[in-house]
Structure formats: C-alpha cells, structure tokens
Amino acid sequence: MTQPAADADSSSDRTDTDTGNDVEEIIDALYGKRTSVTTREAALAALNNAMEGFMPAHDIEHAREDILSRCIISIRKGSTKEACLAIRAAALLAPDASAAKVIAALDCLAVVTFTGAEALDETEASLKVMWGLIHPQSGRKLAGTARKASAQELATAVSAWTFVLTRVTATTAGGRKVNPMEFLATLLYAEDRAVRIAAGEALAVCVELKLLPAKKGDLFRDMVARMSDLAIEAAGTGVDKKGFLEQKHLFKQLSAFMVHGERPERTVRTSSTQRGLLKVTTWSDVVRLKFLRRFLGPGFLHHLQGHGFMREVFDVRDEEIAGKLSAALWNPDLMKQDPLLARELMCESMEQKNRKEERKIWGGLEKRRTLSIKKDRRIANEVRYGGVGDMHGKT
C-alpha cells in the first residue's frame, strides 16, 4: 500500500489507509438504505478524519457531489451529532470551491458549532478546520487542491474562528496546544483592511481568554505598536476609504484595551419603541454581536426581540429607556460602532413613521368621506322637507 506524501507533523497520529477504498466504503455507508444512525455518524467522522489528513484531491473529486448531497440529507434529517459532522464535512470540501461557497460554509460551520457543539473536542475540531484555512502551513492539508485564500475568505475565516473561540472559557482556552496570537499579529500588516480588522478583534478575544501569558514581551509590544499606527492612519491620496473610519475607531479602542485595560462598550436598542436594550462590554460579546448581525442580516432585530437563542447569548434588558430613537440613531458613536445596525433601526423607525403617516392619510380620507355623506344627507333632507312644506303651503 502506498501512502501519499504528508507533512511530518500530520502523519504521526495517522495510520496508513487506502484513501480511495475508504471513500467508496464511506459513500456506501452513507447511502445504504438500512444503515443506522451510528453507522452514518461513524462514516462521516471517518470522512472528516481523512479530509483533515492527507487525502489527495483526485481521490475525492469524483465523489464530491455524492458526498455533498448526502451531507444535505444528514443536515436536514439526521441526529444533532450527524448534522454537525455533515456540516463539518461540507466545510472541509469548501477549500477547493468558489469563494462564495467557502464563505457560506465557514459561516454555517461557525453557527452550527456555536449553537450545537456539546463537547470541547467538537469545538476544537471546528476551530482546527478554520485555522487550516487561515494558516495552511500550520496543520494538515485539507482535501482538494491547495490554493491561497482570497482576502474576503481570509477575513471571513478569521471572524468565524473568533466567533467560535468565544464559546471557549478562559480556563480551557489556556490549555490549547496551538497559540494563534503570533500568526494573527502578522495579519495586522495585511493589505486588506477587512483582514486587519478581523485580526485585531481576534487578538482582543485571545487576550481576554488569556492565551497570552502576560502583557509583555516583543510580541505584545509589536502588536500594540501596530494597533496604535492603524488607529491614526491618515486618509491620504490612494488610501482605500472602504472601512477606513471603522478601522480607526476599532483600533483606537483596541489600543486602549491592550494598554490600559479599557473595556469596549456597545449599546443597542432592540426595537423602535422605548423598551429593550442590549449592552455588551467584552470583546467576546462584541465579536458575537457583529458576527450574528452580519449572518442574520435583516432578521437580526427580529431574533433579538424573541425569547430564544439570542437571549441565551446576550443579556437583553426589557426595561423602559429614556429618550427617543431618533436621538440614538443619529448618535455619532452608534453610527461608528455599528453603522449597519443603526441603518436597520433607522429603516424600522422610518417604516413606523410611514405607517403612521399612512394611517393619518387614510384617517383624513375617511373623515372627509364621512363629512361628505353627512352633507349629502343634509341637502337631501332640505330638498325633501322643503318640497313638502311648499306643497302644504299651496294646498
């Protein structure tokens, strides 16, 4: 049996397997009409292990569509564990897919892991998959042909990785084998601003989880110096303006946190009424808020107003808030901290205003209609009774 080439550090904990035969056996196990849940879970776990190892692209390419279709069925109809394994398998297939599919797979893997992972090893498995895309040289080669991730894919991978990392407690995070901070610090020098922003937020969460033994040393000093530079970057000629103000505001807060321990603060109204407030004061919650707002899009406020998962993630206070929504919407700090959410709230406020105007217009029309009917009746009565009076006078 010939073993494909593999990284020295990734082959030590793997046994030699004939990956081609394994793929066929796995597909048979997934498609069998009488296969049990346990069999499908074991098959998906074996597939994930193979793709995290040294499976060449040609061994899986012919079966890609079959595997994905089976994964979709497992996600829709399988047990929680089976669905999680299937989503992870789909994410592992993504590095050889288009950028849009990679981003969708990363987001899906992050949300399912955050909401459904029942043990630390399940969370670690997802973190490992994402980190393999962020820093390919650090781990096993994923299935498919190796290609460099685009800036958008990299920024999404870092954001998704950080979002899942917030699920890990500081105690368990401290025991992780891989310390990511050194590589994340290099991403502060990335050409793409979105990558720099994602890396800055990731580093802040890592510091909160105490992945850096102490706030000292060359790594910490270089990291803080770079954050300070990004906080005062000048908007000169040729500088990309996209995300420019967001970067300055974020890294100003990050520098204050790294040097002085100042906590971030985000306060968000959960509705256009004067009730409901979400306030976050940790970088972990800031990352969660930003990720879920982007992932849920226009549905974010609806989920936040409910009483399910979002109330477990965030502390939403249903108390009366003084002041008007318009004042909060036009608050410069809110617009800088969370412009998309501010626009969503503004749209909701405008919709409410439009509904009010619509009711006012319809009310006016109804009032005029009522007055018109009354006037017509009065005229009809005058003609009727006036005519009767004339007739009586003539007789």
Side-chain angles (χ1 to χ4, degrees):
M1 186 185 304
T2 303
Q3 177 177 317
D7 294 342
D9 63 341
S10 63
S11 60
S12 59
D13 57 348
R14 297 279 177 177
T15 58
D16 293 351
T17 58
D18 186 340
T19 53
N21 293 336
D22 282 349
V23 172
E24 300 302 330
E25 292 174 3
I26 287 170
I27 293 176
D28 289 341
L30 291 176
Y31 272 93
K33 293 183 178 179
R34 297 185 178 181
T35 55
S36 65
V37 174
T38 304
T39 301
R40 291 195 299 273
E41 290 175 353
L44 286 167
L47 177 64
N48 289 339
N49 287 336
M51 289 194 293
E52 289 172 2
F54 42 78
M55 180 182 288
H58 62 79
D59 277 350
I60 199 171
E61 187 61 38
H62 72 286
R64 184 179 297 274
E65 294 300 324
D66 288 339
I67 293 173
L68 284 175
S69 64
R70 180 61 250 184
C71 286
I72 292 172
I73 295 173
S74 294
I75 292 169
R76 291 175 59 189
K77 299 182 178 181
S79 64
T80 301
K81 182 177 180 181
E82 181 181 344
C84 290
L85 288 168
I87 290 170
R88 187 169 153 215
L92 286 166
L93 288 170
D96 195 32
S98 64
K101 291 180 180 178
V102 172
I103 291 170
L106 286 167
D107 284 345
C108 187
L109 179 62
V111 171
V112 170
T113 302
F114 188 89
T115 59
E118 298 178 353
L120 180 60
D121 58 342
E122 295 176 352
T123 302
E124 286 285 355
S126 294
L127 288 170
K128 182 173 63 175
V129 170
M130 296 171 188
W131 191 254
L133 184 62
I134 297 169
H135 188 27
Q137 293 81 8
S138 65
R140 302 182 177 94
K141 296 178 181 178
L142 301 180
T145 55
R147 68 173 176 83
K148 185 178 180 181
S150 67
Q152 188 179 11
E153 290 170 324
L154 182 56
T156 302
V158 174
S159 296
W161 180 88
T162 310
F163 175 66
V164 174
L165 187 67
T166 64
R167 195 178 187 275
V168 181
T169 63
T171 303
T172 54
R176 301 182 76 246
K177 295 179 180 179
V178 178
N179 191 319
M181 295 193 66
E182 186 172 351
F183 182 75
L184 287 173
T186 66
L187 296 182
L188 294 177
Y189 294 87
E191 293 183 6
D192 187 81
R193 184 170 286 121
V195 174
R196 298 198 294 264
I197 289 173
E201 292 171 339
L203 287 166
V205 172
C206 287
V207 170
E208 272 191 345
L209 294 176
K210 297 180 173 56
L211 294 184
L212 190 67
K215 292 184 177 182
K216 58 183 180 181
D218 293 339
L219 173 61
F220 184 76
R221 283 193 294 270
D222 293 344
M223 185 172 67
V224 172
R226 178 56 179 165
M227 287 181 175
S228 299
D229 291 340
L230 292 173
I232 59 173
E233 182 183 14
T237 304
V239 175
D240 182 14
K241 302 300 188 297
K242 185 178 180 180
F244 177 73
L245 293 177
E246 180 187 359
Q247 174 185 283
K248 292 192 68 173
H249 182 74
L250 172 69
F251 281 100
K252 182 179 179 180
Q253 286 190 315
L254 288 173
S255 298
F257 170 67
M258 295 294 182
V259 178
H260 304 294
E262 293 182 14
R263 293 286 179 178
E265 184 173 321
R266 303 284 191 277
T267 303
V268 177
R269 288 175 181 265
T270 62
S271 72
S272 57
T273 65
Q274 289 183 300
R275 297 191 69 84
L277 182 69
L278 167 62
K279 183 176 181 180
V280 296
T281 56
T282 67
W283 283 107
S284 292
D285 277 344
V286 167
V287 166
R288 291 175 177 180
L289 177 64
K290 182 177 180 180
F291 184 94
L292 290 171
R293 177 182 55 77
R294 178 182 64 80
F295 183 79
L296 294 172
F300 175 75
L301 284 176
H302 174 74
H303 284 276
L304 200 60
Q305 291 164 2
H307 295 279
F309 166 73
M310 297 293 279
R311 296 299 178 110
E312 298 175 6
V313 178
F314 301 112
D315 179 21
V316 181
R317 291 179 288 163
D318 293 318
E319 59 189 42
E320 188 169 354
I321 308 164
K324 294 187 178 294
L325 177 66
S326 57
L329 288 175
W330 293 107
N331 185 324
D333 289 336
L334 176 61
M335 294 298 291
K336 287 179 181 179
Q337 293 171 7
D338 211 334
L340 183 55
L341 185 59
R343 285 196 293 271
E344 290 173 359
L345 285 168
M346 191 180 299
C347 288
E348 184 180 345
S349 177
M350 291 300 295
E351 288 177 3
Q352 189 179 51
K353 182 179 179 181
N354 291 337
R355 288 194 295 269
K356 185 177 180 180
E357 290 293 332
E358 187 176 328
R359 287 194 298 268
K360 185 177 179 181
I361 292 172
W362 281 107
L365 291 174
E366 185 64 24
K367 183 177 181 180
R368 285 195 292 272
R369 179 173 174 272
T370 302
L371 291 174
S372 178
I373 292 173
K374 288 181 178 179
K375 182 178 180 181
D376 291 342
R377 287 177 177 173
R378 180 174 55 80
I379 293 173
N381 288 334
E382 288 178 353
V383 171
R384 178 183 178 186
Y385 292 118
V388 171
D390 292 340
M391 290 176 64
H392 288 171
K394 290 180 181 179
T395 57

